[in-house]
Amino acid sequence: PSPKGNSPMPRDPASPSTWLAYAKSDLAMARLPIAPPMLLENLCFHAQQAAEKAIKAVLIKLGIQPPKIHDIRRLTECLPDGVTRPEALTASAPLTDYATLTRYPWAGEPVSEEDHRQALRLAEAVIAWAENVIGAASDA
């Protein structure tokens, strides 16, 4: 059941729009204002998830079953030739660390506010790219 006032989240895993909806939800969580006891690491994790799910949305739109991995670099390697890869997509590869290393207290460097701002910028750019590619693929 969904909370009052919210429409239920689409759940069709074969739909690029479902993956984009989940990506945008993660981005919204990554944008939350930091307040104790929240950790910037957790907000950056959601930025990584937003980028990952946006890339998977593109793969699905292109008829490619995305692998069940968190590695953004490996996901982008699954994109076929001819798909535009903007600098932000390539630059987003290090976000992978937020899905693995920084989620636990024993690994990784502490995340700074600037790291968080950069993670948001990259996630936003990857989602914008995904929306553009999916829209262009729909028009083709």
Side-chain angles (χ1 to χ4, degrees):
S2 63
K4 282 187 173 183
N6 292 338
S7 60
M9 183 62 83
R11 299 216 179 258
D12 179 3
S15 168
S17 62
T18 296
W19 284 87
L20 275 177
Y22 274 77
K24 290 176 182 180
S25 176
D26 274 306
L27 183 59
M29 287 187 278
R31 288 178 173 149
L32 289 172
I34 188 76
M38 295 168 66
L39 301 172
L40 286 171
E41 286 80 357
N42 294 129
L43 297 181
C44 288
F45 166 72
H46 286 291
Q48 182 281 337
Q49 287 288 287
E52 175 186 328
K53 291 170 185 168
I55 296 166
K56 288 179 178 182
V58 169
L59 290 171
I60 289 167
K61 180 65 180 182
L62 299 174
I64 299 167
Q65 181 62 39
K68 294 180 179 178
I69 59 173
H70 300 296
D71 189 320
I72 290 177
R73 179 174 285 110
R74 287 185 50 207
L75 288 170
T76 58
E77 289 170 355
C78 295
L79 293 166
D81 293 338
V83 173
T84 304
R85 290 170 175 83
E87 184 179 329
L89 183 63
T90 305
S92 68
L95 291 178
T96 298
D97 288 349
Y98 297 127
T100 55
L101 294 178
T102 64
R103 289 186 60 209
Y104 303 98
W106 60 78
E109 294 293 317
V111 173
S112 70
E113 289 184 22
E114 179 53 34
D115 294 332
H116 177 239
R117 284 190 293 275
Q118 178 65 6
L120 285 175
R121 284 191 292 271
L122 290 169
E124 290 164 351
V126 171
I127 288 175
W129 162 82
E131 291 176 318
N132 188 350
V133 171
I134 290 168
S138 296
D139 297 338

